[in-house]
Amino acid sequence: MNDFETIIVRAEQCNDMSELKQLHDEVAFLLSPFSFPFHRMFDIYNALYVCHDALMKKALLLAEREVDRRGIGKKPSSFCWFVMGSSGRKESTIWTDQDNGMIFSCFSNEKEDCYAYMREYARMGVLFLNEIGYPYCTGHVMATNKRWLKEADDWEGQIDKYVQNEHIDDIRYLSMLVDMRPIYGEYSLVTQLKETLYKKIATTFSLRNRMIDSIRIPFVPIGPFGRVYVERWGEKSGMIDIKQGGYVQLSHALKWIAVREQFVDSNSTFERLTCWYAKNGCSQRLFERIEEAIQTFLYFRLRCSLEGTDYLSMQHLSQEEKRRLKQAMIVAKKMQRRARKWV
């Protein structure tokens, strides 16, 4: 992992967007020629997330300097960028789009000017991130969307609305926020908001059925006798979407378990599993099976990422790879079925 450490150091030292883009490309170059074992997945993803963080932090610092230079609005007393989705869970592959937001704090009489500054900062921030290799989110889950850019008090009010409404979209937004992780700025702003979020969800018992329903969708494509249901037609014939084929269901289950148990400081799916096991939430055998399933899904997601796709061809897998994948899918399906017991 020494090459990754070199990229991190270079990212921290550089002040040029084109060089940051080059460093991002080098991350893929480092992994492309190698085969990587299942048992190294957590180490590899840990190195990847640290690299991504270093690159994104520098881009956001350069964006901040540019906004300061332009003198638009009034800079708030404190602010923080946060990431969500796979980035929030420290499970980004090599190529990942943006899932981010911002929170800031300012005096009430300065809120309008602070919003002017933060809107421009959000615009520059997501632009710079895109330029160095993090594409815009097609679902607009970015700080440029007013849904994801709010002052601290406004964020708490928004969370209250999500919790009270319990609409399917509100559950989706809460699920995104559960994965929030601070990446640049005053981290305590995000930490405090996340603690509030976890408490409000956990103490609103009417949300439980909604959370369980979100775990049960989508269907894990494996039958009772281990038959994997692949795409039947078109260019994806014989393939499965590895993200939707068990990874999402498993990560969602452990996410809501983490909320129920108030594992606020756990970020990755494996960290949440470890906290759950330490609290005697599952047996050692189940822990080991879930751990292996997480490693397997991460392995195939990284492999697909190197090939620029989310789809995995079953025909090109070895017998051992097929066995591991099927076992991981069975574990994910079991977590879906028993969600009501644990969430």
Side-chain angles (χ1 to χ4, degrees):
M1 298 298 174
N2 290 336
D3 290 331
F4 288 105
E5 293 174 2
T6 300
I7 288 177
I8 294 166
V9 171
R10 289 169 61 193
E12 292 171 346
Q13 294 175 344
C14 86
N15 288 294
D16 180 80
M17 293 293 291
S18 60
E19 185 179 352
L20 282 177
K21 173 67 168 66
Q22 180 183 341
L23 290 173
H24 186 273
D25 293 343
E26 284 184 25
V27 174
F29 178 78
L30 286 176
L31 285 175
S32 296
F34 301 109
S35 60
F36 26 85
F38 287 96
H39 70 272
R40 292 292 309 281
M41 282 302 99
F42 297 139
D43 292 335
I44 292 171
Y45 272 82
N46 185 66
L48 272 174
Y49 110 78
V50 175
C51 275
H52 285 311
D53 277 15
L55 293 168
M56 289 190 286
K57 285 178 183 178
K58 181 48 68 87
L60 295 174
L61 170 61
L62 296 177
E64 180 186 3
R65 289 176 179 173
E66 179 61 22
V67 178
D68 289 346
R69 186 186 67 81
R70 297 183 181 191
I72 298 174
K74 181 177 177 58
K75 192 171 187 175
S77 57
S78 59
F79 66 85
C80 189
W81 282 82
F82 59 86
V83 288
M84 298 171 284
S86 60
S87 292
R89 294 190 302 274
K90 305 178 182 178
E91 293 167 359
S92 294
T93 54
I94 296 169
W95 309 113
T96 182
D97 63 359
Q98 297 185 45
D99 282 301
N100 54 51
M102 269 199 287
I103 179 174
F104 65 95
S105 179
C106 66
F107 295 112
S108 58
N109 63 334
E110 297 177 343
K111 187 175 289 192
E112 185 175 342
D113 289 336
C114 287
Y115 263 107
Y117 177 95
M118 295 302 286
R119 281 193 291 268
E120 178 63 13
Y121 187 16
R123 188 184 74 81
M124 293 300 299
V126 301
L127 173 65
F128 280 21
L129 289 172
N130 179 69
E131 287 183 359
I132 68 170
Y134 300 97
Y136 298 123
C137 174
T138 56
H140 304 289
V141 183
M142 298 179 292
T144 44
N145 182 339
K146 63 182 181 180
R147 182 182 297 280
W148 306 107
L149 170 63
K150 297 182 186 297
E151 197 267 339
D153 290 341
D154 294 337
W155 262 118
E156 292 204 20
Q158 184 65 72
I159 288 173
D160 282 337
K161 291 179 181 178
Y162 290 152
V163 169
Q164 292 166 9
N165 291 341
E166 297 184 20
H167 186 271
I168 187 169
D169 285 336
D170 298 309
I171 301 300
R172 183 164 58 90
Y173 297 141
L174 288 173
S175 180
M176 292 177 188
L177 287 168
V178 166
D179 286 330
M180 66 163 56
R181 182 173 63 84
I183 187 173
Y184 180 74
E186 181 56 56
Y187 281 24
S188 63
L189 288 172
V190 172
T191 301
Q192 292 168 11
L193 182 63
K194 192 172 180 180
E195 289 174 353
T196 298
L197 172 72
Y198 273 51
K199 287 177 183 177
K200 287 185 176 180
I201 296 176
T203 55
T204 307
F205 299 106
S206 58
L207 280 174
R208 183 168 179 264
N209 288 336
R210 290 288 195 177
M211 293 187 292
I212 292 170
D213 288 344
S214 73
I215 296 170
R216 291 176 173 170
I217 300 172
F219 166 75
V220 179
I222 189 167
F225 301 107
R227 177 189 174 189
V228 176
Y229 300 120
V230 298
E231 298 287 334
R232 298 185 62 186
W233 315 107
E235 61 180 15
K236 299 295 191 297
S237 177
M239 307 176 86
I240 66 167
D241 183 334
I242 190 61
K243 183 176 180 180
Q244 303 294 325
Y247 167 74
V248 164
Q249 299 86 335
L250 196 56
S251 65
H252 277 189
L254 286 160
K255 174 190 302 189
W256 293 122
I257 289 171
V259 171
R260 188 199 67 180
E261 299 292 348
Q262 296 293 286
F263 300 147
V264 181
D265 295 330
S266 65
N267 293 297
S268 73
T269 304
F270 182 63
E271 287 172 356
R272 290 164 174 169
L273 172 64
T274 301
C275 289
W276 189 39
Y277 174 65
K279 202 171 180 179
N280 297 318
C282 65
S283 66
Q284 182 175 346
R285 174 171 170 74
L286 181 57
F287 169 83
E288 291 171 351
R289 293 186 67 194
I290 297 174
E291 177 186 25
E292 183 175 333
I294 295 171
Q295 289 175 319
T296 298
F297 286 126
L298 292 178
Y299 169 86
F300 285 115
R301 288 202 69 212
L302 184 58
R303 174 167 159 175
C304 287
S305 177
L306 287 166
E307 297 170 358
T309 179
D310 286 326
Y311 282 83
L312 182 69
S313 173
M314 296 297 293
Q315 294 180 344
H316 296 158
L317 302 185
S318 67
Q319 289 302 314
E320 174 61 15
E321 288 174 332
K322 288 180 181 178
R323 183 196 68 78
R324 289 192 65 124
L325 178 58
K326 288 182 179 181
Q327 187 58 46
M329 294 173 75
I330 290 170
V331 170
K333 193 164 189 174
K334 179 178 181 179
M335 291 292 286
Q336 275 190 314
R337 287 177 173 174
R338 300 192 179 181
R340 187 168 296 278
K341 173 183 176 182
W342 294 316
V343 175

